[in-house]
Amino acid sequence: MSAPERPLAGANHLYYGDNLRVLRDSIPSESVDLIYLDPPFNSNAGYNILFKGPEGSTSAAQIEAFDDTWHWNDSAEEAFGDVMRSGNAAAATMLRAIRSFLGDNDMMAYLAMMAVRLIELHRVLKPTGSLYLHCDPTASHYLKVLLDAVFGAKQYTSEIIWKRTSAHADAKRFGPAHDTILAYSKSSDRIWNEQHQPYEEDYVNQYYRYKEASGRRFMSGDLGAAGLQGGGYEYEWKGVTRVWRVPVTSMERLDSEGRIFYTKNGIPRMKRYLDEAKGMPCQDVWTDLESLRSWHKERLGYPTQKPVALLERILNASSNPGDTVLDPFCGCGTTVHAAQKLGRRWIGIDITHLAIGLIEKRLRDAFDQPVFITHGVPQDLEGARNLARRGRENSAHYFEFEKWALALIGAQPGNLSKRGADKGIDGNIWFGPKHEGRAIVSVKAGDNVGSAMIRDLRGVIEREGAGVGIFLTLTPPTKDMIREAAGAGQYELSGFAPVPKLQIVTIEDALTLRDRAPRLPALRNDSFKRAAAEVDQTAQGTLF
């Protein structure tokens, strides 16, 4: 057996795979300063990602990484056994008690899977580190009990309530409008940087009740030194003699800057401007960070995407520049985006090829030449061939090549990850200014490709009324295939130059083009929106 792969010091790392395996094989003990995780749970579905179609319509497409992840089966039993053997007596006792109450069901499977991962996350966290677990009321009460067992109840720091949606009616109950973020630390010696949030409107109206002609609001602060420890400065200022908080030179400067407010009795008071105030120290109810809406430029179209501002607050509070941040369920990459933006090192893990491809694209769109290493996915043609070969040899890996290849070109899976159910549609790319155009993707990993496959794809796009067909192939096309594709003619979309109706893209070409924008010759907008640049970039690419 080869030695476990260890991260390179100072580098950023993106891992494809089961986060439990990655944690055990690749993340050293006490190497991480901050952990944020937003683990999925849905009592009626597996660990999945839902995709949206054009113009906000919901596509039937759904990709399931593990169909049985949150069901009680051999994997859940193994996770439960791992906790029993972990050496963490408190976690083992607590999980055993929960099982005796819940029995063997989906919720118990979820908690067993989470418990074994929380133990590993505790191991990799530095003594000064913190963990933030983002959840909803479905399982938050059970997760808090598990965190008490793994970290120790004394290491609980906060239960943050984040208002994630506006008020709405819900059948026969109070409308659910918040998520919960449970915060724990490895020890009492945790990193902490106080954060501030805007003052509430009532507070502003009560205390910042003065306005200048410009509209600038301020409150008046006492310049007198009565009751001030250490005394003050006694002198006369504009007919008023008393002990002041500041020397006369400072009083003169404040007056010249227009920062002194005089009462009706001529008593000077200092102006404290609202726009210069830090705000109030952050409380554990966050209503000032709006969740992403359809009109937000930051929104990529990923259904569980969190706003970068939410992660920035957490990272700023519990880490410092240069620290290492870990997200073991990194989804569309908001945590690694925030870490990159704030000068932290980062480690992201996800179990779907689509998420890894989206994160790679997001970072390259938002930052100027970001440096990171992707693990567990093919990085060259030989790696792609190995992945395809494993898929042919093992049905469990059948769709892994397909998912990875679609992620290379920013396509959405279109076959529900079920063999025989694709109707010739492996993936879709929605393009054009309003996503009115559709490109159907056919992925081929075998050696035997021919012109009949191009004719089949042409039939699919005609049947579906799509504009473009993309034949994504591991094996280079034959001359007959190229002629067959050229014979399909051109596709035109108003306002853009024509493009080939049938396009053949090799995996080698896709690998070469993935670091650029755009990565395909198809006229399109990305299935997931382009992330806004965090720094000025002169080369923004075109739609071609």
Side-chain angles (χ1 to χ4, degrees):
M1 181 183 294
S2 61
E5 181 183 9
R6 295 299 185 186
L8 301 175
N12 298 317
H13 299 269
L14 185 59
Y15 288 90
Y16 163 75
D18 180 0
N19 53 28
L20 183 60
R21 178 189 59 78
V22 173
L23 286 165
R24 288 173 170 172
D25 292 349
S26 302
I27 314 298
S29 298
E30 298 189 353
S31 62
V32 174
D33 297 283
L34 173 62
I35 298 169
Y36 169 87
L37 64 158
D38 185 7
F41 180 79
N42 185 324
S43 60
N44 298 314
Y47 177 7
N48 59 44
I49 301 172
L50 301 178
F51 300 94
K52 289 188 179 297
E55 291 299 290
S57 62
T58 300
S59 168
Q62 176 176 299
I63 179 172
E64 293 192 359
F66 287 154
D67 288 341
D68 60 351
T69 299
W70 307 137
H71 299 299
W72 193 267
N73 52 23
D74 290 343
S75 296
E77 191 70 62
E78 181 181 355
F80 182 86
D82 282 349
V83 176
M84 297 303 108
R85 296 183 294 270
S86 67
N88 188 321
T93 300
M94 189 64 72
L95 195 64
R96 191 183 301 113
I98 294 174
R99 186 175 183 180
S100 69
F101 172 67
L102 290 178
D104 297 344
N105 53 29
D106 291 357
M107 176 64 82
M108 189 62 218
Y110 174 76
L111 295 173
M113 295 289 204
M114 285 303 303
V116 70
R117 285 162 173 79
L118 290 172
I119 289 171
E120 289 299 322
L121 293 172
H122 182 268
R123 174 187 63 81
V124 305
L125 200 59
K126 291 180 181 178
T128 55
S130 295
L131 176 143
Y132 290 77
L133 193 160
H134 194 137
C135 51
D136 63 27
T138 306
S140 60
H141 48 307
Y142 295 117
L143 290 170
K144 189 173 183 181
V145 169
L146 283 179
L147 285 165
D148 280 351
V150 173
F151 280 77
K154 291 183 179 179
Q155 300 312 320
Y156 161 80
T157 59
S158 295
E159 180 174 1
I160 299 162
I161 302 302
W162 175 51
K163 184 182 177 183
R164 61 170 173 78
T165 187
S166 301
H168 59 276
D170 205 58
K172 295 185 178 181
R173 65 167 179 168
F174 299 112
H178 79 277
D179 282 358
T180 298
I181 303 173
L182 302 172
Y184 283 74
S185 62
K186 186 76 171 277
S187 73
S188 58
D189 186 28
R190 67 182 182 276
I191 296 171
W192 179 251
N193 305 306
E194 185 174 78
Q195 300 299 298
H196 296 82
Q197 57 193 116
Y199 294 120
E200 295 178 355
E201 185 176 358
D202 289 346
Y203 179 89
V204 171
N205 291 335
Q206 180 178 357
Y207 292 100
Y208 288 90
R209 60 183 184 273
Y210 301 104
K211 280 187 180 181
E212 293 183 339
S214 63
R216 199 177 183 193
R217 300 186 72 146
F218 66 93
M219 68 162 61
S220 67
D222 192 4
L223 283 169
L228 184 67
Q229 291 185 355
Y233 306 88
E234 185 174 0
Y235 55 88
E236 179 186 341
W237 178 258
K238 296 192 175 181
V240 180
T241 301
R242 63 170 55 181
V243 179
W244 305 101
R245 289 174 178 260
V246 298
V248 67
T249 53
S250 297
M251 190 75 87
E252 290 170 347
R253 176 181 55 80
L254 291 171
D255 193 45
S256 67
E257 293 174 353
R259 288 180 172 266
I260 293 182
F261 168 74
Y262 292 91
T263 68
K264 293 179 180 179
N265 297 326
I267 305 299
R269 295 179 64 85
M270 184 176 177
K271 294 180 181 179
R272 300 190 184 279
Y273 290 104
L274 176 61
D275 58 17
E276 293 178 349
K278 290 182 179 180
M280 64 179 178
C282 276
Q283 308 299 297
D284 60 8
V285 177
W286 295 357
T287 60
D288 59 310
L289 299 176
E290 187 178 15
S291 60
L292 297 179
R293 302 289 190 265
S294 59
W295 58 85
H296 288 141
K297 292 182 180 180
E298 181 185 331
R299 188 171 179 269
L300 301 175
Y302 193 95
T304 60
Q305 182 181 355
K306 303 300 185 294
V308 172
L310 179 71
L311 273 300
E312 286 181 329
R313 176 170 291 173
I314 291 171
L315 266 62
N316 281 324
S318 295
S319 71
N320 295 311
D323 285 350
T324 298
V325 177
L326 166 66
D327 186 340
F329 295 91
C330 60
C332 67
T334 301
T335 303
V336 300
H337 184 131
Q340 182 80 24
K341 181 179 178 180
L342 297 176
R344 274 67 167 168
R345 293 193 295 271
W346 54 262
I347 301 168
I349 311 170
D350 203 272
I351 201 166
T352 66
H353 282 299
L354 182 96
I356 298 302
L358 173 58
I359 294 168
E360 290 179 321
K361 178 182 182 301
R362 178 178 186 172
L363 291 171
R364 288 167 178 144
D365 285 346
F367 301 96
D368 184 18
Q369 298 182 334
V371 178
F372 58 92
I373 302 168
T374 304
H375 305 265
V377 298
Q379 298 298 311
D380 52 29
L381 191 58
E382 185 56 35
R385 289 175 179 143
N386 288 336
L387 180 61
R389 183 166 53 251
R390 292 200 302 272
R392 290 192 293 270
E393 294 171 353
N394 186 340
S395 60
H397 299 293
Y398 181 82
F399 289 105
E400 292 310 301
F401 176 85
E402 182 180 294
K403 295 171 188 175
W404 168 78
L406 291 169
L408 272 182
I409 62 173
Q412 298 177 356
N415 64 357
L416 300 176
S417 300
K418 296 178 182 178
R419 189 184 296 223
D422 58 20
K423 297 182 179 180
I425 305 170
D426 294 325
N428 293 286
I429 293 175
W430 306 97
F431 60 85
K434 296 183 179 180
H435 288 80
E436 66 267 44
R438 179 187 182 190
I440 290 175
V441 184
S442 176
V443 180
K444 300 298 178 183
D447 297 326
N448 298 320
V449 295
S451 55
M453 294 179 177
I454 302 299
R455 289 192 292 273
D456 289 344
L457 178 57
R458 184 172 182 175
V460 172
I461 64 173
E462 289 173 354
R463 182 193 75 210
E464 297 292 323
V468 174
I470 298 171
F471 190 83
L472 185 58
T473 173
L474 182 60
T475 303
T478 65
K479 291 182 180 178
D480 285 344
M481 293 171 66
I482 294 172
R483 279 196 295 269
E484 188 73 36
Q490 300 279 300
Y491 171 79
E492 295 188 28
L493 184 66
S494 178
F496 298 94
V499 295
K501 191 171 184 67
L502 283 181
Q503 304 178 21
I504 300 175
V505 180
T506 67
I507 293 296
E508 185 174 18
D509 288 340
L511 281 164
T512 302
L513 294 171
R514 66 178 174 173
D515 291 342
R516 306 178 193 171
R519 296 167 297 178
L520 272 183
L523 173 68
R524 67 181 180 89
N525 278 350
D526 293 305
S527 301
F528 288 106
K529 295 179 182 178
R530 184 180 179 88
E534 293 288 358
V535 294
D536 290 336
Q537 298 181 68
T538 55
Q540 293 296 325
T542 68
L543 286 175
F544 294 89

